[in-house]
Amino acid sequence: MLASFAVLTAGLLVFHRAVPNSVGRTGSLLESFLPWLGLVVVALLVLAALRRSVTALVALVLPAVGWTCLFGGLLLPEAEASPYDVVVVQHNVSDANRDPVGTARELAAADADLIALQELVPPATAVYEEALAREYPYRTVQGTVGLWSKHPLAGVRPVEIKPRGITEDWSRGLRAVVHTPHGDIAAYVAHLPSVRVRATGLMSSWRDESAGLLGEAVAAEEQTRVILMGDLNSTVDDRGLAPLTSRMNVAKRGFAFSFPASFPVARIDQIMARSATVGRIRTLSRTGSDHLPVAARITLR
């Protein structure tokens, strides 16, 4: 029995794309928590050892190798001397954040070139603008998303990523060209629709539709270098983000689980890039939000 569970776990790890999404988006739900199958491997290892089952121990090699191939690289350290061109921070600050001043202070302490924020609502937006103005003189806010920059911005415009089923005012995407000392970069900031886990499965159709619209915008971007920062309400393993992950590079180092802040189980706050490499992604100190901020160094090509 333990050996069978080991083989099944290995199959889910290696062939997760084969799990259908037709019923309750089961495939996406699995992929959202795929790294946690490592705990299943550990639990099976303990049981196999207690039962002294040689067959199970041998079978556990399969899921152990599968997990290592998928996620082992994320555990490797990044050399401190690795070259980079810009540092970016991504944070959903939460529309219920009671300490925007403290949040801004924590974000500024990262000394990033770019800070992307979501769930910006008045009067907190004005607080962020004032608190970050000295270090980040260039900024734009479009709807509930914003970008703060140490470098001049141009070509600022909203990006339409609203699903057809949403009828109320809803503006959660922006694009701006950042004039850095290393060349121009098209920066995108986005907040995709939330997902819900119900008894019937994962409710993610709006998020998936919005991800498709954002992917089309990135594909049409004329600037060669692109950086995307956002609360995408999904992990990079989730096929729901395929319109983005198929076109952009993601971090190869660091798990940086960002949600929920009280006990992070998944990284749904993402930093991606085109014609650039995303270095190790890491979380920053907790703020007044229910998300943790994430930061990464970007090396341009």
Side-chain angles (χ1 to χ4, degrees):
M1 181 65 72
L2 291 178
S4 299
F5 276 117
V7 173
L8 174 61
T9 303
L12 291 175
L13 280 164
V14 178
F15 302 109
H16 57 90
R17 294 293 187 193
V19 177
N21 241 5
S22 54
V23 178
R25 284 182 162 76
T26 308
S28 283
L29 183 59
L30 168 66
E31 290 160 351
S32 297
F33 301 99
L34 200 61
W36 292 99
L37 285 181
L39 291 182
V40 176
V41 178
V42 174
L44 291 174
L45 177 61
V46 172
L47 291 174
L50 290 174
R51 296 186 180 185
R52 298 180 181 180
S53 173
V54 176
T55 302
L57 288 171
V58 172
L60 279 168
V61 172
L62 295 175
V65 170
W67 191 94
T68 302
C69 290
L70 286 174
F71 304 112
L74 295 175
L75 296 172
L76 297 176
E78 181 182 43
E80 289 296 326
S82 296
Y84 64 93
D85 298 303
V86 295
V87 177
V88 302
V89 166
Q90 148 60 30
H91 191 29
N92 178 329
V93 294
S94 175
D95 55 10
N97 192 325
R98 296 183 178 181
D99 185 22
V101 173
T103 298
R105 187 184 306 116
E106 289 290 343
L107 298 175
D111 194 28
D113 295 271
L114 300 174
I115 298 176
L117 304 181
Q118 298 83 43
E119 292 199 12
L120 292 169
V121 294
T125 301
V127 175
Y128 292 115
E129 290 176 339
E130 181 179 355
L132 295 172
R134 182 175 179 180
E135 297 296 328
Y136 297 89
Y138 308 100
R139 68 177 184 275
T140 178
V141 175
Q142 304 288 326
T144 58
V145 300
L147 177 67
W148 275 256
S149 174
K150 289 185 176 181
H151 312 295
L153 301 178
V156 175
R157 58 175 171 80
V159 177
E160 182 57 66
I161 58 172
K162 183 170 75 171
R164 292 184 297 272
I166 297 178
T167 57
E168 65 267 23
D169 289 340
W170 197 93
S171 180
R172 292 189 179 187
L174 70 80
R175 176 262 192 192
V177 176
V178 186
H179 298 307
T180 79
H182 308 284
D184 289 352
I185 304 169
Y188 282 74
V189 181
H191 184 189
L192 301 189
S194 299
V195 300
R196 295 290 184 269
V197 179
R198 308 293 190 196
T200 54
L202 187 71
M203 311 296 289
S204 64
S205 58
W206 281 356
R207 183 207 61 194
D208 295 348
E209 182 182 349
S210 190
L213 294 171
L214 184 56
E216 291 173 3
V218 169
E221 174 57 55
E222 296 181 353
Q223 290 288 331
T224 301
R225 296 162 168 170
V226 178
I227 296 176
L228 167 63
M229 300 153 284
D231 173 2
L232 304 187
N233 271 301
S234 189
T235 68
V236 295
D237 301 303
D238 183 353
R239 70 193 69 178
L241 289 191
L244 298 167
T245 54
S246 63
R247 294 182 169 106
M248 308 191 78
N249 300 314
V250 299
K252 300 300 183 183
R253 298 285 188 273
F255 281 100
F257 293 155
S258 64
F259 184 83
S262 57
F263 187 79
V265 297
R267 186 177 81 241
I268 62 175
D269 295 273
Q270 307 295 350
I271 297 171
M272 303 182 185
R274 185 179 77 187
S275 296
T277 300
V278 183
R280 183 180 183 85
I281 192 166
R282 59 189 177 91
T283 55
L284 303 179
S285 299
R286 186 175 179 180
T287 69
S289 172
D290 56 345
H291 292 241
L292 293 177
V294 298
R297 296 171 175 177
I298 307 292
T299 303
L300 304 176
R301 298 176 183 172

